[in-house]
Every structure is written in structure tokens, then in C-alpha cells.
Amino acid sequence: MTYLFTFGETMGLVAADSIGPLGYARSFSYGICGAESNVAIGAARLGAPATWLGRVGRDATGSLITGRIEAAGVRALAISDDAFTGLMVRHRRSAEFTHVDYHRQGSAGSRLMPADLPVAELRGAGVLHVTGVTPALSESCRATVFQAVETARAAGVPVSVDVNYRGKLWSRFEAAPVLRDLVTRADIVFASPDEAALFIDDDDPLDGLAKLGPAEVIVKDGGRGCVARIAGRRHAVAALPVTVVDPVGAGDAFVAGYLADRLAGEPPEQRLATAIAVGAFAVTVPGDCEGLPDRTELAALTGGDVRR
């Protein structure tokens, strides 16, 4: 099995332990969060070799990030930077609404640059995975994403893109042309219906995204499951019924499941089934990546015995 290569900003995560206004929270958990590292950790727990690259500050949070990613079985290429490590503060205002504040402008992760890319690592990967988060962080991050994509394409390495639009990082007007350009260069694309609507006019997000060129288009639709068009064939998979404890990170978990099975040579039907199951498992436990399952735990979920 070849490996997954991904990169981006991973931050410290301060999360209120209780549901309600932040001002009334009396205890907090401290962990890590980042779309790309979540995918790398999820894939590694499913047995897929994974490498993550990113810049971290010379601070306790930077050390925590590197240690946590490596402890999850991911090869971490952490570049030390003089800037601070970014931070996310998150609380659940209600059972239905999660509020996030970013403290990341000028952070170490936002200073990633094309010269940081290990070209040999990229050329030897089984899949390069990037997200729409990284191009929003800075001009140098955007240049790094497109340089990595072009390097991978030239080497025949499949490019995976998760649109992953973040409205707090850039406007829809700013994001749309960049994300569209990125998707046109992808072999595999993941998006929600709302994300696809940012830059396509087609009523059917599958058709609209497929017209941009990717051979594998997967539309993630939360509790409604997913639909996909892979090598011209349409697929639909329903969501699994689970008790939702923390909905954050489900999309990254879904991507991790799909890419892990793709690297293992599984057919599209199996990749999608695994993606749905990993996403479902992720929402049954708190945290962005702490509860991502291994293969044994995943089998327990699909067998009807959810272990928490």
C-alpha cells in the first residue's frame, strides 16, 4: 500500500465541556484540530500509511500537535517557526449549534510556503490530499497548495480535494474562483451540496462537479448520507443511525475512510461504505480526531455494537 500525503495548519483546540453560552462554561478540554491532520490520523488508524506536513510554533501547543499526530501513527513533518501556533476556541451554544472562533492570523501554520514541500515525498505518494482551508490562510499557503497539486499531477499522483469552505476565513466571492480552479485540477473531489453551489450552476452537484473534470466526485450530505459519481457510475449510500455526541470532524472522518480504502485497492462501493461508517463513528465521541476508529472498532459499529 502506498501512502497518503497531506499538509496544512493544525491548531490548538480549546473546547468548552458543557453545552451553553461560553461565559457560563466552567471547564474546558485542550486538544488539537486541523482538517488535513484529522484525515491523516483517520487514515492511519485504518491502516493506511500517512504523512502530514505543517508549520508549528516553538511553543507548547506546537509540541503537543507534533506529539499527538505522531502518536496516532502519522509521519509528521513539522517545521518549527518563530510565529505562534494557531488556536481555535469552540463551544456548543446549544445542542444544535456550534460556535467557533479562530486565532490564527499570522500564525506559524499560515506561513507555509512552496519551498517547504518535499518534492520526493510528493512524487512517491499514493494520493495527495488538500483542502479548501489552506488556500484561505495566506498567499503563500495558496501558492503552496497549487504547487503541490501541480507537482503531484506531473508525477501521476492522484489529487484529492475536499472543498471544505470556511466562511470565517474568506468570503464566498473570494473563495469561489480559487476553489473552482482547485477542483478542475483534482482526480477526487469531496464537497457538500452548499459547497458545490459556491462555484457551479448545475442543479445536480454531482453533474456540476463532474463537468469540471474529477473522475471521482463525492457529495457529503450529513445525515442524508452521500452520493457519488465514480468513473461515470452513480452511487448512493444512506447514513448510519447513531447517537450524535459531537458533529465536528465528521466530514474529515468520511474523507479518511474513503481514501484509506482507496489506497488499499477497495472498489468504490466499499470505499463509500467505509467513509459513511467512519463519519458515523466520529460523531459518537467528542473531539476532532480523538475518537477516530481503527478497523476493529469500525466493525463493531457496522455490526450494531457501538463502543464508546
Side-chain angles (χ1 to χ4, degrees):
M1 179 190 295
T2 52
Y3 59 90
L4 170 72
F5 185 91
T6 190
F7 62 91
E9 181 174 35
T10 298
M11 300 174 289
L13 170 62
V14 179
D17 292 329
S18 58
I19 297 176
L22 184 63
Y24 292 94
R26 292 294 175 265
S27 63
F28 297 82
S29 301
Y30 195 64
I32 69 171
C33 60
E36 298 86 3
S37 56
N38 288 347
V39 171
I41 289 170
R45 289 196 176 151
L46 295 172
T51 296
W52 169 87
L53 168 75
R55 282 183 173 261
V56 296
R58 296 184 177 92
D59 48 37
T61 302
S63 298
L64 174 68
I65 287 168
T66 303
R68 287 273 182 94
I69 291 174
E70 289 178 339
V74 176
R75 182 170 177 240
L77 303 179
I79 302 168
S80 294
D81 193 285
D82 291 335
F84 65 94
T85 304
L87 187 68
M88 177 193 287
V89 179
R90 188 172 76 210
H91 72 283
R92 297 183 69 184
R93 178 61 181 82
S94 70
E96 303 297 326
F97 178 70
T98 299
H99 183 90
V100 167
D101 290 317
Y102 294 123
H103 302 272
R104 66 198 305 182
Q105 188 172 4
S107 66
S110 72
R111 289 155 58 114
L112 199 67
M113 62 187 70
D116 294 333
L117 293 171
V119 175
E121 297 270 355
L122 269 174
R123 290 174 175 165
V127 172
L128 167 67
H129 178 67
V130 299
T131 78
V133 175
T134 306
L137 300 179
S138 67
E139 290 296 330
S140 68
C141 280
R142 189 175 307 175
T144 304
V145 170
F146 281 92
Q147 180 64 53
V149 168
E150 289 310 307
T151 300
R153 282 161 54 93
V157 175
V159 174
S160 165
V161 172
D162 187 352
V163 172
N164 222 336
Y165 172 67
R166 293 289 179 264
K168 285 201 169 186
L169 295 178
W170 52 354
S171 71
R172 298 172 71 90
F173 177 79
E174 294 172 309
V178 178
L179 296 174
R180 181 185 176 89
D181 191 7
L182 195 56
V183 168
T184 64
R185 301 166 193 259
D187 300 285
I188 310 158
V189 62
F190 302 90
S192 70
D194 287 344
E195 288 170 339
L198 282 169
F199 51 87
I200 64 169
D201 297 325
D202 203 302
D203 290 337
D204 185 339
L206 274 183
D207 287 343
L209 290 168
K211 287 174 184 175
L212 295 179
E216 301 175 34
V217 175
I218 302 96
V219 176
K220 303 175 290 182
D221 204 7
R224 287 173 288 276
C226 72
V227 290
R229 188 181 301 282
I230 301 172
R233 182 180 174 190
R234 188 182 179 97
H235 305 261
V237 184
L240 293 175
V242 292
T243 301
V244 178
V245 174
D246 184 353
V248 177
D252 299 332
F254 179 101
V255 172
Y258 184 91
L259 293 180
D261 268 17
R262 192 185 193 280
L263 285 164
E266 297 292 348
E269 296 83 359
Q270 184 58 49
R271 299 177 211 164
L272 294 169
T274 298
I276 286 286
V278 179
F281 199 105
V283 303
T284 66
V285 291
D288 275 37
C289 58
E290 291 82 354
L292 291 170
D294 59 27
R295 292 284 182 181
T296 300
E297 293 166 331
L298 197 61
L301 171 65
T302 55
D305 177 20
V306 181
R307 298 176 184 175
R308 299 189 178 95

